[in-house]
Amino acid sequence: MDKQLKRMATMQRIQTTGLEIFYQKGYHNTSIDDILKELRLSKGAFYYHFQSKEEFFISIVQNLLFRKVYSSLIEPIEGEEDPLNKIAACFDNALETAEHNFLDYGFVLSNFITEFNGKNPDIMNYLQDILKVWEVNLVTALQKGKTDGYVNRHIDSEAVATYLISSYIGIRTLMVEGNGKMLRYKYIQQLRHYFKLIEHKEPA
Amino acid sequence: MDKQLKRMATMQRIQTTGLEIFYQKGYHNTSIDDILKELRLSKGAFYYHFQSKEEFFISIVQNLLFRKVYSSLIEPIEGEEDPLNKIAACFDNALETAEHNFLDYGFVLSNFITEFNGKNPDIMNYLQDILKVWEVNLVTALQKGKTDGYVNRHIDSEAVATYLISSYIGIRTLMVEGNGKMLRYKYIQQLRHYFKLIEHKEPA
DNA sequence: AGGGTAACAGACTTATAGGTCTGTTTATAG
DNA sequence: CTATAAACAGACCTATAAGTCTGTTACCCT
């Protein structure tokens, strides 16, 4: 029974550093040997646990990426009151970790989407699924915000959700250059500015 | 003298279809042979005109990408009055061509930025330069809008510009899946919504 | 303790892709 | 018309990377 644990442990190890290197260098630009060299493991070990590079990547998407996106960008908003402030704080928080060159999973996601778009429909589906979960959750939060009196009832929740996701993905694409702190500040500023429009206005 | 023309013509041919295929399949995932096969040309022809794959790509960025981004996203706004409406119309127009699966150069740009980030600083600089020109132009247009009475004087033009670019890049990343028409509609709707905030308010 | 299997090592195979090199065509100049 | 160089063809070289296969180590079970 201990072997099961060992198996899981090494698979986790390979997947974790695999995601890191895929993120840094891109999928097509990283070889299995790159990952194995970092781990001081052999080809035999890798292909004992995974069938192929593609299957390996998909396992990363499902096991790591999905859960991380969920815990960093979805869960913090779920069920909370005052969704707009929660969303702004959550985005700000995620962008802060991104500043310090840590893995920002929302961005990793869009990164891979651009890389696999039109090339691998199979992988694309898994990636798009995560986006959909994210979007659905934002819509739900906004709708709940309406009934709780935090969000203007006349806004189109779905449109706002896609607008939020797109702006987030975009700002992260721009932040690659290094002046992240300034970009983050400007972005959050405009985001909160935008939120003023869709807040619930108390009738005078 | 006619040879010069022929030289330019074939170089243009290779570059044009090169950009198309690089856009479709990504830089690392397309081989020189892919491009040459499409053109029914030989390795000899290619390496007679270009030193390497990388130098070839850079020439595409400088010759094609820069000019196309300029003509599709920068020039239409330049010097116009009522910049907000101009920007919205310009973005809407660019997104419409993107719907029909044509090359949308603003997106191609961000596409390559994500692909080369952290991998090739040399190419990254050329790509970032285009972004900077875009941003500077937006800032200029917004500032001019202030003096012309179209834009609220209290807004931070630079922050708005980065916010605009990031949202545009983001929405294009999302549009890869196919439901482009709906996404475009939602995006432009929210964009115009956002613009109401930074419009010039007539004093009552 | 020892047999058996899971877990891993690493040499090998094969395909692909960037780049080279030599030969051939084409076209302009004198 | 011919010499000469530009423009191109395509076989070849070489490095890399995905995947295979055989051998070896480590651990569990009886």
Side-chain angles (χ1 to χ4, degrees), chain A residues 48-108:
Chain A
Y48 177 77
H49 292 290
F50 303 99
Q51 291 176 20
S52 67
K53 186 183 180 184
E54 182 170 326
E55 186 261 352
F56 169 61
F57 184 78
I58 293 174
S59 80
I60 289 179
V61 171
Q62 291 187 304
N63 284 286
L64 289 181
L65 202 57
F66 184 84
R67 294 175 192 181
K68 293 292 179 66
V69 169
Y70 197 89
S71 65
S72 66
L73 287 167
I74 297 179
E75 206 172 22
I77 295 164
E78 213 165 33
E80 297 284 337
E81 293 202 340
D82 196 359
L84 298 182
N85 274 320
K86 263 291 167 190
I87 291 170
C90 178
F91 278 20
D92 196 17
N93 195 40
L95 291 179
E96 194 192 355
T97 71
E99 262 178 45
H100 308 315
N101 268 18
F102 287 26
L103 276 167
D104 169 19
Y105 296 95
F107 176 59
V108 176

Side-chain angles (χ1 to χ4, degrees), chain B:
Chain B
M1 300 299 132
D2 204 31
K3 290 208 171 174
Q4 274 291 334
L5 285 179
K6 178 162 193 177
R7 179 182 177 84
M8 299 294 280
T10 53
M11 284 180 80
Q12 278 281 342
R13 274 185 66 211
I14 302 177
Q15 287 171 329
T16 304
T17 68
L19 177 58
E20 279 177 24
I21 301 182
F22 280 141
Y23 166 67
Q24 286 170 23
K25 305 180 53 171
Y27 176 83
H28 293 98
N29 200 33
T30 70
S31 65
I32 301 298
D33 283 318
D34 288 338
I35 302 166
L36 264 29
K37 192 180 175 186
E38 183 76 22
L39 291 164
R40 298 173 194 282
L41 269 174
S42 67
K43 275 265 175 73
F46 180 85
Y47 281 97
Y48 177 76
H49 291 291
F50 303 100
Q51 290 178 21
S52 67
K53 185 184 180 185
E54 182 170 327
E55 186 263 351
F56 170 61
F57 184 79
I58 292 174
S59 80
I60 288 179
V61 172
Q62 292 187 303
N63 284 285
L64 290 182
L65 202 57
F66 184 84
R67 294 176 194 182
K68 293 292 179 67
V69 169
Y70 196 89
S71 65
S72 66
L73 287 167
I74 297 178
E75 207 172 23
I77 296 164
E78 212 166 34
E80 296 285 336
E81 292 203 341
D82 197 358
L84 299 182
N85 274 320
K86 262 291 165 190
I87 291 170
C90 177
F91 278 20
D92 196 18
N93 194 42
L95 291 178
E96 194 192 355
T97 70
E99 263 178 44
H100 308 315
N101 268 17
F102 287 26
L103 277 166
D104 169 18
Y105 296 94
F107 176 59
V108 177
L109 180 60
S110 74
N111 223 334
F112 289 141
I113 285 177
T114 59
E115 184 166 1
F116 287 106
N117 174 37
K119 296 147 211 166
N120 194 317
D122 198 16
I123 293 182
M124 275 300 286
N125 280 332
Y126 291 110
L127 296 171
Q128 293 281 148
D129 281 348
I130 303 181
L131 267 188
K132 281 175 194 161
V133 173
W134 190 9
E135 191 206 345
V136 166
N137 188 280
L138 282 174
V139 170
T140 308
L142 289 168
Q143 293 288 26
K144 187 172 183 298
K146 285 185 186 177
T147 64
D148 291 350
Y150 288 97
V151 178
N152 190 320
R153 289 182 176 275
H154 298 90
I155 62 115
D156 180 346
S157 296
E158 290 185 15
V160 172
T162 57
Y163 193 67
L164 286 173
I165 293 176
S166 70
S167 69
Y168 182 83
I169 289 175
I171 194 66
R172 276 301 280 113
T173 306
L174 292 180
M175 277 174 71
V176 298
E177 177 68 330
N179 48 347
K181 193 157 187 153
M182 193 60 185
L183 284 174
R184 172 184 150 219
Y185 175 78
K186 289 179 182 174
Y187 172 76
I188 296 294
Q189 173 191 334
Q190 293 302 311
L191 185 69
R192 290 195 180 275
H193 205 157
Y194 168 68
F195 276 168
K196 282 180 189 163
L197 263 177
I198 62 180
E199 271 173 6
H200 180 68
K201 304 283 199 300
E202 289 296 330

Side-chain angles (χ1 to χ4, degrees), chain A residues 24-25 28-29 111 114 117 119 131 156 158-160 163 166 170-171 174 176 186 189-190 193-194 197, chain B residues 24-25 28 111 114 117 119 131 156 158-160 163 166 170-171 174 176 186 189-190 193-194 197:
Chain A
Q24 286 170 23
K25 306 179 54 172
H28 294 97
N29 200 34
N111 223 335
T114 58
N117 174 37
K119 295 146 213 168
L131 267 188
D156 179 348
E158 290 186 15
V160 172
Y163 192 67
S166 70
I171 194 67
L174 291 180
V176 299
K186 288 180 183 173
Q189 173 192 333
Q190 293 302 310
H193 205 157
Y194 168 68
L197 262 177
Chain B
Q24 286 170 23
K25 305 180 53 171
H28 293 98
N111 223 334
T114 59
N117 174 37
K119 296 147 211 166
L131 267 188
D156 180 346
E158 290 185 15
V160 172
Y163 193 67
S166 70
I171 194 66
L174 292 180
V176 298
K186 289 179 182 174
Q189 173 191 334
Q190 293 302 311
H193 205 157
Y194 168 68
L197 263 177

